[in-house]
Amino acid sequence: MPEVVVVGGGPAGLSATLNLARALVDVVLVDASRPRNSATLRSHGYLTRDGFRPTELRALAKEELAAYGNVEHLERRSVTAVRREGDGFLVEVGGRTPAEHVTLSAQAVLLATGLTEILPALPSIRSYYGMSVFSCVACDAWDLRGKALALIGGNPDLARRAVHLSRWTDDLTVFTNGSEAVTATEEEDLGALGVRVERTRILDLDGERGAVRAVQLEDGRSVPIDGGFVRPEWKPAAAFLDGIEQQVSADGFLIAGAEGRTAVPGLYAAGDIVAPGPQQMIIAAGSGARCAAAIVDDLQTATLRSALATLSEPV
């Protein structure tokens, strides 16, 4: 049985698995193989891999992990439950057939499942998402610099995101889609930056072959754009935790320390599942590597304590 089960095969999980493997930890990586960035044609901001396809990065990572005999990679498999057992955990892993269902016992579990992303409910949004409409400003705004852009959302942080995005363009319209996401004061402040606020509900996006060209409003108006960003709803992908209470932020993200330790001993979290920062692949990968170092340290500490306890027993 493994010492550690890593749940999630994105940049955080893959990076953590590699570093655990090199520390001689027996590790099982459970990978549902349904990455959130599957719609992204090119990823950016990853040193030496700027403009790489996320699928290529995953393929290279899996090839590297295959060289380590202490790694078992369960692909296209999902964790259905994680629950406490003694000082460790039982991890239930589902499969395509009953024969593939397994139960793993581990000393530690790393959650690297990322987020479930809920996009604004616009009929054609999937036709443009990842090609000319994005969610990560830090990742994709450079490629849309100087163009007429839309920012669509209904969350209270929409105005702050608009201020950030205005660095890359002086032609920005914030679409609240009928919500009260932007206050009157925020609208005035955005106006001082040259950012327009449109409160009318959106009917749909218009364009062709992945290139968005306009936002169609319910009142019949059409606002021309060359690209845009959305502020999705994000939910941590951790519904499989069985009876394990987690500390979460006001936005519902898992709370973990700088090294990935959660409030539950032996349970760690890395990547986009934890309270958010910039959601970039390179940050998630770094988070996984740092968390792996903490896991190794904690495993060694537990081993030392066990050895000292054995030595102190009467003979």
Side-chain angles (χ1 to χ4, degrees):
M1 284 294 179
E3 294 174 86
V4 179
V5 172
V6 176
V7 188
L14 291 166
S15 177
T17 300
L18 176 62
N19 283 275
L20 288 168
R22 293 186 61 81
L24 304 178
V25 174
D26 290 328
V27 55
V28 172
L29 170 61
V30 185
D31 183 0
S33 303
R34 294 192 298 269
R36 183 165 63 97
N37 61 8
S38 58
T40 303
L41 297 179
R42 302 285 178 183
S43 64
H44 295 282
Y46 203 123
L47 191 64
T48 78
R49 293 294 183 267
D50 190 50
F52 237 50
R53 293 179 181 271
T55 51
E56 291 181 73
L57 200 64
R58 282 172 55 83
L60 285 172
K62 289 190 290 184
E63 184 180 323
E64 290 175 354
L65 290 178
Y68 293 87
N70 53 329
V71 172
E72 184 178 1
H73 191 175
L74 302 180
E75 295 190 73
R76 296 182 178 85
R77 306 280 289 279
S78 297
V79 169
T80 57
V82 175
R83 59 181 181 271
R84 268 294 197 183
E85 186 184 59
D87 294 333
F89 300 88
L90 286 180
V91 181
E92 302 282 349
V93 181
R96 289 162 290 185
T97 66
E100 289 186 335
H101 293 191
V102 296
T103 300
L104 305 173
S105 177
Q107 294 173 247
V109 172
L110 169 56
L111 305 176
T113 46
L115 304 170
T116 298
E117 193 168 60
I118 304 171
L119 298 177
L122 304 177
S124 301
I125 194 167
R126 288 289 179 185
S127 300
Y128 308 104
Y129 191 59
M131 291 169 280
S132 57
V133 176
F134 307 92
S135 61
C136 178
V137 172
C139 304
D140 298 297
W142 191 90
D143 297 287
L144 296 175
R145 65 197 185 279
K147 295 184 177 181
L149 301 182
L151 174 62
I152 301 169
N155 293 72
D157 62 357
L158 197 62
R160 180 172 58 82
R161 289 176 178 273
V163 171
H164 184 54
L165 181 55
S166 68
R167 180 177 185 85
W168 284 271
T169 181
D170 57 5
D171 190 351
L172 174 61
T173 304
V174 177
F175 295 85
T176 68
N177 198 19
S179 74
E180 298 299 322
V182 178
T183 67
T185 300
E186 288 173 333
E187 182 173 357
E188 185 177 342
D189 292 341
L190 290 173
L193 293 174
V195 177
R196 299 173 295 278
V197 175
E198 176 57 68
R199 298 183 180 274
T200 306
R201 290 191 63 85
I202 299 172
L203 183 65
D204 202 1
L205 302 179
D206 187 36
E208 60 181 10
R209 297 183 179 181
V212 68
R213 288 292 174 253
V215 178
Q216 303 285 353
L217 300 176
E218 283 192 345
D219 62 9
R221 287 180 295 137
S222 179
V223 181
I225 59 171
D226 299 316
F229 291 85
V230 296
R231 198 312 192 177
E233 294 284 346
W234 292 305
K235 293 184 178 180
F240 49 77
L241 293 178
D242 187 359
I244 301 176
E245 294 295 329
Q246 276 296 301
Q247 291 183 338
V248 297
S249 69
D251 294 330
F253 292 83
L254 268 59
I255 293 176
E259 295 180 319
R261 296 180 180 91
T262 72
V264 178
L267 188 66
Y268 303 80
D272 291 344
I273 195 172
V274 299
Q279 292 173 6
Q280 291 179 273
M281 292 177 66
I282 195 166
I283 292 176
S287 172
R290 184 165 55 183
C291 190
I295 293 172
V296 172
D297 187 51
D298 292 347
L299 289 174
Q300 284 298 98
T301 300
T303 299
L304 176 60
R305 287 174 179 166
S306 178
L308 291 174
T310 300
L311 289 173
S312 64
E313 292 177 357
V315 293

